[in-house]
Structures are given as structure tokens and as C-alpha cells.
Tab-separated table of all heavy atoms in Angstrom:
chain	number	residue	atom	x	y	z
A	1	LEU	N	13.794	-16.966	-3.019
A	1	LEU	CA	14.427	-18.160	-2.462
A	1	LEU	C	14.887	-17.922	-1.025
A	1	LEU	O	14.683	-18.764	-0.146
A	1	LEU	CB	15.588	-18.580	-3.353
A	1	LEU	CG	16.108	-20.001	-3.228
A	1	LEU	CD1	15.013	-21.030	-3.459
A	1	LEU	CD2	17.245	-20.220	-4.228
A	2	SER	N	15.479	-16.770	-0.769
A	2	SER	CA	15.945	-16.447	0.584
A	2	SER	C	14.790	-16.358	1.567
A	2	SER	O	14.863	-16.900	2.674
A	2	SER	CB	16.711	-15.124	0.590
A	2	SER	OG	17.885	-15.221	-0.151
A	3	HIS	N	13.726	-15.663	1.176
A	3	HIS	CA	12.562	-15.550	2.060
A	3	HIS	C	11.933	-16.910	2.317
A	3	HIS	O	11.554	-17.222	3.444
A	3	HIS	CB	11.529	-14.584	1.479
A	3	HIS	CG	11.811	-13.162	1.777
A	3	HIS	ND1	11.407	-12.544	2.938
A	3	HIS	CD2	12.485	-12.221	1.078
A	3	HIS	CE1	11.808	-11.291	2.933
A	3	HIS	NE2	12.469	-11.066	1.812
A	4	LEU	N	11.837	-17.704	1.281
A	4	LEU	CA	11.258	-19.035	1.423
A	4	LEU	C	12.121	-19.911	2.324
A	4	LEU	O	11.608	-20.657	3.158
A	4	LEU	CB	11.098	-19.667	0.035
A	4	LEU	CG	10.205	-20.883	-0.102
A	4	LEU	CD1	8.814	-20.623	0.445
A	4	LEU	CD2	10.120	-21.287	-1.567
A	5	ALA	N	13.427	-19.795	2.193
A	5	ALA	CA	14.337	-20.577	3.041
A	5	ALA	C	14.222	-20.155	4.504
A	5	ALA	O	14.280	-20.987	5.405
A	5	ALA	CB	15.780	-20.423	2.556
A	6	ARG	N	14.063	-18.844	4.738
A	6	ARG	CA	13.958	-18.347	6.117
A	6	ARG	C	12.605	-18.638	6.741
A	6	ARG	O	12.517	-19.036	7.900
A	6	ARG	CB	14.208	-16.836	6.158
A	6	ARG	CG	15.655	-16.457	6.170
A	6	ARG	CD	15.853	-14.996	6.540
A	6	ARG	NE	15.097	-14.064	5.729
A	6	ARG	CZ	15.501	-13.569	4.558
A	6	ARG	NH1	16.672	-13.914	4.064
A	6	ARG	NH2	14.750	-12.724	3.888
A	7	SER	N	11.538	-18.419	5.967
A	7	SER	CA	10.190	-18.527	6.543
A	7	SER	C	9.617	-19.936	6.489
A	7	SER	O	8.661	-20.233	7.194
A	7	SER	CB	9.243	-17.555	5.836
A	7	SER	OG	9.083	-17.914	4.480
A	8	GLY	N	10.186	-20.792	5.662
A	8	GLY	CA	9.668	-22.146	5.539
A	8	GLY	C	8.593	-22.227	4.473
A	8	GLY	O	8.249	-21.225	3.838
A	9	PRO	N	8.066	-23.421	4.264
A	9	PRO	CA	7.065	-23.626	3.212
A	9	PRO	C	5.885	-22.661	3.341
A	9	PRO	O	5.383	-22.422	4.449
A	9	PRO	CB	6.611	-25.069	3.422
A	9	PRO	CG	7.776	-25.718	4.110
A	9	PRO	CD	8.364	-24.651	4.985
A	10	THR	N	5.480	-22.112	2.211
A	10	THR	CA	4.362	-21.169	2.182
A	10	THR	C	3.784	-21.122	0.780
A	10	THR	O	4.368	-21.666	-0.153
A	10	THR	CB	4.818	-19.763	2.645
A	10	THR	OG1	3.682	-18.930	2.826
A	10	THR	CG2	5.778	-19.132	1.664
A	11	THR	N	2.664	-20.466	0.631
A	11	THR	CA	2.050	-20.336	-0.686
A	11	THR	C	2.702	-19.192	-1.449
A	11	THR	O	3.321	-18.299	-0.867
A	11	THR	CB	0.536	-20.049	-0.568
A	11	THR	OG1	0.364	-18.770	0.061
A	11	THR	CG2	-0.183	-21.138	0.215
A	12	SER	N	2.518	-19.225	-2.742
A	12	SER	CA	3.063	-18.176	-3.598
A	12	SER	C	2.486	-16.816	-3.222
A	12	SER	O	3.208	-15.827	-3.152
A	12	SER	CB	2.750	-18.510	-5.061
A	12	SER	OG	3.176	-17.484	-5.912
A	13	SER	N	1.188	-16.763	-2.961
A	13	SER	CA	0.562	-15.473	-2.635
A	13	SER	C	1.037	-14.944	-1.282
A	13	SER	O	1.243	-13.736	-1.129
A	13	SER	CB	-0.965	-15.577	-2.669
A	13	SER	OG	-1.420	-16.541	-1.746
A	14	GLU	N	1.248	-15.816	-0.319
A	14	GLU	CA	1.764	-15.369	0.982
A	14	GLU	C	3.190	-14.851	0.836
A	14	GLU	O	3.558	-13.838	1.437
A	14	GLU	CB	1.712	-16.508	2.002
A	14	GLU	CG	0.304	-16.849	2.449
A	14	GLU	CD	0.218	-18.149	3.232
A	14	GLU	OE1	1.232	-18.868	3.351
A	14	GLU	OE2	-0.885	-18.456	3.706
A	15	LEU	N	3.986	-15.528	0.020
A	15	LEU	CA	5.362	-15.098	-0.215
A	15	LEU	C	5.371	-13.751	-0.944
A	15	LEU	O	6.161	-12.858	-0.603
A	15	LEU	CB	6.115	-16.156	-1.019
A	15	LEU	CG	7.611	-15.960	-1.194
A	15	LEU	CD1	8.332	-15.864	0.152
A	15	LEU	CD2	8.196	-17.107	-2.002
A	16	ALA	N	4.486	-13.576	-1.912
A	16	ALA	CA	4.389	-12.300	-2.632
A	16	ALA	C	4.050	-11.168	-1.659
A	16	ALA	O	4.629	-10.080	-1.735
A	16	ALA	CB	3.327	-12.392	-3.730
A	17	ARG	N	3.139	-11.434	-0.743
A	17	ARG	CA	2.764	-10.439	0.252
A	17	ARG	C	3.959	-10.081	1.141
A	17	ARG	O	4.203	-8.920	1.434
A	17	ARG	CB	1.612	-10.980	1.093
A	17	ARG	CG	0.593	-9.978	1.459
A	17	ARG	CD	-0.637	-10.506	2.183
A	17	ARG	NE	-0.754	-11.917	2.463
A	17	ARG	CZ	-1.413	-12.805	1.705
A	17	ARG	NH1	-2.007	-12.412	0.603
A	17	ARG	NH2	-1.476	-14.069	2.042
A	18	GLU	N	4.730	-11.096	1.555
A	18	GLU	CA	5.896	-10.874	2.417
A	18	GLU	C	6.938	-9.987	1.758
A	18	GLU	O	7.530	-9.129	2.413
A	18	GLU	CB	6.558	-12.203	2.793
A	18	GLU	CG	5.849	-12.984	3.856
A	18	GLU	CD	6.571	-14.281	4.172
A	18	GLU	OE1	7.816	-14.303	4.149
A	18	GLU	OE2	5.880	-15.280	4.439
A	19	VAL	N	7.196	-10.201	0.473
A	19	VAL	CA	8.241	-9.434	-0.216
A	19	VAL	C	7.674	-8.236	-0.967
A	19	VAL	O	8.408	-7.528	-1.644
A	19	VAL	CB	9.111	-10.317	-1.144
A	19	VAL	CG1	9.814	-11.394	-0.356
A	19	VAL	CG2	8.312	-10.902	-2.269
A	20	GLN	N	6.363	-8.036	-0.847
A	20	GLN	CA	5.674	-6.869	-1.379
A	20	GLN	C	5.794	-6.722	-2.894
A	20	GLN	O	6.191	-5.689	-3.421
A	20	GLN	CB	6.166	-5.598	-0.683
A	20	GLN	CG	5.916	-5.629	0.803
A	20	GLN	CD	6.441	-4.398	1.512
A	20	GLN	OE1	7.225	-3.633	0.978
A	20	GLN	NE2	5.985	-4.210	2.743
A	21	ILE	N	5.466	-7.823	-3.589
A	21	ILE	CA	5.357	-7.769	-5.042
A	21	ILE	C	4.022	-8.401	-5.423
A	21	ILE	O	3.351	-8.996	-4.577
A	21	ILE	CB	6.527	-8.485	-5.770
A	21	ILE	CG1	6.524	-9.984	-5.468
A	21	ILE	CG2	7.850	-7.839	-5.408
A	21	ILE	CD1	7.492	-10.770	-6.334
A	22	THR	N	3.645	-8.285	-6.680
A	22	THR	CA	2.367	-8.848	-7.102
A	22	THR	C	2.427	-10.379	-7.102
A	22	THR	O	3.504	-10.970	-7.264
A	22	THR	CB	1.979	-8.375	-8.514
A	22	THR	OG1	2.916	-8.905	-9.455
A	22	THR	CG2	1.924	-6.856	-8.596
A	23	ALA	N	1.268	-10.971	-6.925
A	23	ALA	CA	1.185	-12.431	-6.955
A	23	ALA	C	1.621	-12.968	-8.321
A	23	ALA	O	2.245	-14.024	-8.404
A	23	ALA	CB	-0.239	-12.878	-6.622
A	24	GLN	N	1.309	-12.226	-9.387
A	24	GLN	CA	1.686	-12.651	-10.728
A	24	GLN	C	3.210	-12.669	-10.881
A	24	GLN	O	3.772	-13.611	-11.448
A	24	GLN	CB	1.070	-11.728	-11.794
A	24	GLN	CG	-0.436	-11.822	-11.889
A	24	GLN	CD	-1.154	-10.997	-10.818
A	24	GLN	OE1	-0.543	-10.286	-10.032
A	24	GLN	NE2	-2.471	-11.117	-10.773
A	25	SER	N	3.877	-11.632	-10.384
A	25	SER	CA	5.340	-11.586	-10.468
A	25	SER	C	5.961	-12.717	-9.669
A	25	SER	O	6.913	-13.364	-10.113
A	25	SER	CB	5.874	-10.250	-9.956
A	25	SER	OG	5.484	-9.208	-10.811
A	26	MET	N	5.423	-12.958	-8.479
A	26	MET	CA	5.956	-14.037	-7.650
A	26	MET	C	5.716	-15.375	-8.327
A	26	MET	O	6.585	-16.247	-8.308
A	26	MET	CB	5.319	-14.023	-6.256
A	26	MET	CG	5.867	-15.108	-5.336
A	26	MET	SD	7.671	-15.058	-5.131
A	26	MET	CE	7.842	-13.602	-4.124
A	27	GLY	N	4.558	-15.543	-8.930
A	27	GLY	CA	4.271	-16.787	-9.633
A	27	GLY	C	5.277	-17.054	-10.748
A	27	GLY	O	5.758	-18.177	-10.912
């Protein structure tokens, strides 16, 4: 939530990459 609030709208996979977790976990 914090990363999304700071970076703005993005895809789940891009957000997973930013916070360095798997796409499945982020999903």
C-alpha cells in the first residue's frame, strides 16, 4: 500500500518487482 501510494497506479507485477517479492505473493 505504501509503495503504491508513493509510486502511483501500477500493475501488480511492476509493484512486485519494486518491492522484490514474487508476483504471486503480491497478487
Side-chain angles (χ1 to χ4, degrees):
L1 199 57
S2 295
H3 277 274
L4 195 54
R6 278 194 306 274
S7 65
T10 190
T11 65
S12 176
S13 59
E14 289 168 354
L15 188 58
R17 218 174 0 264
E18 283 180 36
V19 299
Q20 300 178 345
I21 64 170
T22 66
Q24 293 81 4
S25 293
M26 182 56 72

